[in-house]
Amino acid sequence: MSFDNIRQRYETAGQGHLLQFWPQLSEAERASLLSQLEDLDIERVNRVYKKAVSNEKELAENAGQDAIEPLPENATDSVIGDATKEKEWRQIGLQAIARGEVGVLLLAGGQGTRLGSSAPKGCYDIGLPSHKSLFQYQAERIARLQTVAEQENGKKAGSVVIPWYVMTSGPTRPETEAFFKKHSYFGLDPQNVIFFEQGTLPCLTMEGKVILDAPSKVAVAPDGNGGLYAALRRPLSRSDKSRTVLSDLEAKKIRYIHGYCVDNCLVKIADPVFLGYSISKQADCAAKTVPKAYPTESVGVVARRGDKFSVVEYSEISKEQAERRDPKTGELAFRAGNIVNHFYTIDFLKEVEAFEDELAFHIARKKIPHVDMSSGELVKPSKPNGMKLEMFIFDVFPFTKRFAVLEVVRNDEFSPLKNAPGTGSDDPETSRRDLLAQHKRFLEKAGAKVVDEVEIEVSPLVSYAGEGLESIKGKTFTKSGLVESVEELDALV
């Protein structure tokens, strides 16, 4: 697109100021700026801004008017205390995996900044005896699950594949790909690991003008984990505009997707129980939740807002609602803690485009470094001067036709890594503790005894969820260590 066409387009959109420094720019800077402006859908940016502002105003005006209700009984179930249902769902899920109908979406765009690391969060070592990264743990769970699906469904070794789609951000993509290559994709076939990027949106002034953070550079920020849905439709490479994540899923005849966040060390990737539950409910979208630990826990809950499913933030629930209990069970009525762990059908992911314009982005008002439009100097503001717009992954919930929620045990499925070492909650030490405690439970459930203070790390390649340990029944483990095969457990007796 020529300079004149771009200038006309941006002036029509009310964003002509982005070319204000054009006369002073070098040829390289001009080429860079034109490339950014050509790639940017400025008309969409304007629509997104208007929708976000009007939605924020509407929410403020209608605050408290939409009735917030707990989940209806027919939309939720639990694995807690029901081994029969769990076994049934597991079988359905493993069959879908064995048929090659399941893929996995990983949200891995974050950096470990709060952990004191500039690397992508998935590269982080939580201090296990093996020193395996989060990425390695998740890759090995996929490898083990493929084997379990083969063994339990009479399939040939190596015939079952769970493709892994890894969503990075612009800053984390090169390092993430390099990390996977350096570690030989942790034993997975590189063809089945597909990297793609979440989108960005320009940072805006409070009046909706796009901000420059250099005379030739638009200030941008990631568009939130809800940017996943649009990212699935974007070309996987500049050289091949026709191949997207969605087209790749369709080519592989994938029908069901499990989506999750990289920072949960206990995540059951492509969990056959969750898959089987969602498939049996004929859900187009489903969420896995954990029971709230106590009424005032600062966690969003999956609930009903009016007649739609939604994630309701803890700040939106009154003290009375938070403490309300189910008269039948005595449990908290609003207890479905959101852990960003979702099931989708491919058909539903394809439908998102049709209602995407109805989804309002959320406004985060921030201190955004910017170029002074009169002097061209960089300004670092001391108070919020602009906004970043982001969408949340659960913003699609109100648009589902058949939504379902599965409650799972927290200490088996959710231990997020959010905070710096030594914080005491959701930090590397709690992640390490929770994972090793789970491995101890695996061993004890298989009929072994683990002496107090003994820590045994059971590689995901040995057991995905406690299966495959039958041979250790009656043994007592007195030594700590790491095991990469069942046979190695004998050395710890």
Side-chain angles (χ1 to χ4, degrees):
M1 198 181 287
S2 72
F3 169 75
D4 287 336
N5 286 344
I6 285 179
R7 182 173 61 184
Q8 187 178 352
R9 183 177 154 209
Y10 274 77
E11 282 175 355
T12 304
Q15 303 280 6
H17 65 284
L18 296 174
L19 291 159
Q20 185 165 319
F21 300 105
W22 185 261
Q24 294 105 281
L25 300 182
S26 67
E27 284 306 313
E29 288 170 332
R30 288 180 176 187
S32 170
L33 181 59
L34 276 191
S35 173
Q36 290 170 68
L37 299 184
E38 193 171 351
D39 286 346
L40 191 59
D41 185 345
I42 194 61
E43 295 78 14
R44 175 177 176 258
V45 171
N46 285 347
R47 287 197 307 274
V48 162
Y49 166 76
K50 283 176 185 158
K51 176 85 177 170
V53 170
S54 70
N55 187 65
E56 188 180 62
K57 187 180 172 194
E58 194 179 316
L59 282 175
E61 287 169 356
N62 298 331
Q65 289 182 29
D66 263 346
I68 295 171
E69 292 295 335
L71 292 167
E73 272 185 46
N74 65 354
T76 185
D77 216 320
S78 178
V79 299
I80 300 171
D82 197 332
T84 310
K85 274 187 189 169
E86 189 173 347
K87 192 176 173 185
E88 211 175 282
W89 293 331
R90 180 178 179 275
Q91 194 175 3
I92 294 168
L94 282 176
Q95 286 167 352
I97 292 168
R99 289 193 300 267
E101 294 175 351
V102 174
V104 172
L105 282 173
L106 165 59
L107 309 181
Q111 288 171 299
T113 317
R114 274 158 67 181
L115 303 167
S117 165
S118 60
K121 207 185 248 190
C123 303
Y124 198 80
D125 165 10
I126 60 174
L128 293 165
S130 65
H131 292 288
K132 290 177 182 177
S133 63
L134 292 170
F135 280 141
Q136 181 163 353
Y137 243 76
Q138 291 162 28
E140 291 184 354
R141 284 194 184 121
I142 290 172
R144 172 65 188 166
L145 187 56
Q146 289 174 166
T147 301
V148 172
E150 285 161 3
Q151 290 172 347
E152 296 199 21
N153 289 278
K155 294 277 184 178
K156 195 174 69 180
S159 64
V160 170
V161 170
I162 303 170
W164 198 14
Y165 296 84
V166 181
M167 186 173 84
T168 66
S169 57
T172 64
R173 182 166 184 171
E175 205 169 339
T176 301
E177 291 200 48
F179 192 73
F180 271 74
K181 281 176 189 157
K182 180 185 173 186
H183 294 280
S184 305
Y185 291 78
F186 312 106
L188 296 177
D189 183 339
Q191 289 184 56
N192 301 323
V193 182
I194 296 97
F195 298 97
F196 68 109
E197 260 173 65
Q198 79 182 93
T200 58
L201 277 171
C203 302
L204 304 173
T205 66
M206 302 302 185
E207 296 74 39
K209 299 293 184 188
V210 174
I211 292 173
L212 290 172
D213 62 12
S216 64
K217 190 162 169 270
V218 173
V220 297
D223 56 6
N225 57 19
L228 163 75
Y229 304 108
L232 297 178
R233 301 192 303 270
R234 275 195 291 275
L236 283 166
S237 70
R238 282 182 178 271
S239 56
D240 182 2
K241 301 280 188 187
S242 65
R243 188 172 170 236
T244 65
V245 172
L246 277 180
S247 75
D248 199 69
L249 288 165
E250 285 193 281
K252 290 184 168 85
K253 297 187 167 52
I254 302 292
R255 295 179 64 192
Y256 311 112
I257 280 288
H258 177 228
Y260 71 98
C261 276
V262 75
D263 63 2
N264 177 12
C265 70
L266 294 179
V267 66
K268 290 182 178 174
I269 296 137
D271 176 17
V273 176
F274 184 37
L275 289 166
Y277 164 74
S278 305
I279 292 166
S280 66
K281 293 283 283 188
Q282 296 186 306
D284 52 6
C285 176
K288 196 184 262 198
T289 65
V290 296
K292 279 180 75 171
Y294 49 91
T296 54
E297 185 183 8
S298 301
V299 61
V301 293
V302 184
R304 297 268 286 183
R305 195 194 294 273
D307 62 347
K308 304 279 188 192
F309 290 98
S310 183
V311 170
V312 180
E313 296 301 340
Y314 60 91
S315 54
E316 299 176 81
I317 292 179
S318 67
K319 185 173 182 288
E320 184 186 38
Q321 284 173 316
E323 291 174 354
R324 182 170 145 195
R325 295 201 174 259
D326 185 312
K328 285 187 197 168
T329 63
E331 293 172 316
L332 292 174
F334 291 95
R335 70 175 180 277
N338 173 44
I339 60 171
V340 191
N341 195 313
H342 302 153
F343 164 93
Y344 308 95
T345 63
I346 298 305
D347 288 341
F348 177 74
L349 290 175
K350 283 156 59 183
E351 283 166 18
V352 174
E353 187 174 13
F355 58 76
E356 208 163 40
D357 278 351
E358 295 178 59
L359 299 171
F361 281 75
H362 307 268
I363 298 172
R365 290 174 175 81
K366 301 279 187 182
K367 293 183 277 195
I368 302 169
H370 61 281
V371 168
D372 181 288
M373 295 310 288
S374 52
S375 68
E377 297 294 315
L378 184 67
V379 178
K380 291 189 175 176
S382 56
K383 58 182 183 180
N385 63 305
M387 56 176 74
K388 296 179 179 181
L389 299 170
E390 56 184 5
M391 193 180 284
F392 301 144
I393 196 164
F394 50 74
D395 286 338
V396 300
F397 288 2
F399 295 86
T400 57
K401 297 182 187 74
R402 296 176 306 282
F403 188 70
V405 174
L406 182 66
E407 180 183 70
V408 296
V409 183
R410 185 186 286 237
N411 70 353
D412 256 337
E413 303 229 17
F414 187 57
S415 179
L417 178 61
K418 306 276 184 200
N419 302 319
T423 308
S425 71
D426 297 346
D427 65 10
E429 291 84 3
T430 59
S431 291
R432 179 188 190 279
R433 176 201 71 199
D434 293 346
L435 195 54
L436 291 176
Q438 182 187 59
H439 293 181
K440 183 178 181 179
R441 290 194 299 276
F442 286 172
L443 298 170
E444 290 176 338
K445 195 173 177 187
K449 187 182 175 197
V450 183
V451 173
D452 289 347
E453 310 304 320
V454 165
E455 291 183 330
I456 298 175
E457 181 185 351
V458 181
S459 165
L461 294 170
V462 174
S463 185
Y464 173 86
E467 80 297 325
L469 300 171
E470 296 77 15
S471 63
I472 65 166
K473 188 173 181 180
K475 294 182 179 177
T476 298
F477 296 108
T478 59
K479 298 173 194 153
S480 297
L482 158 71
V483 292
E484 294 282 2
S485 71
V486 179
E487 292 74 24
E488 288 177 19
L489 280 162
D490 286 341
L492 304 179
V493 171

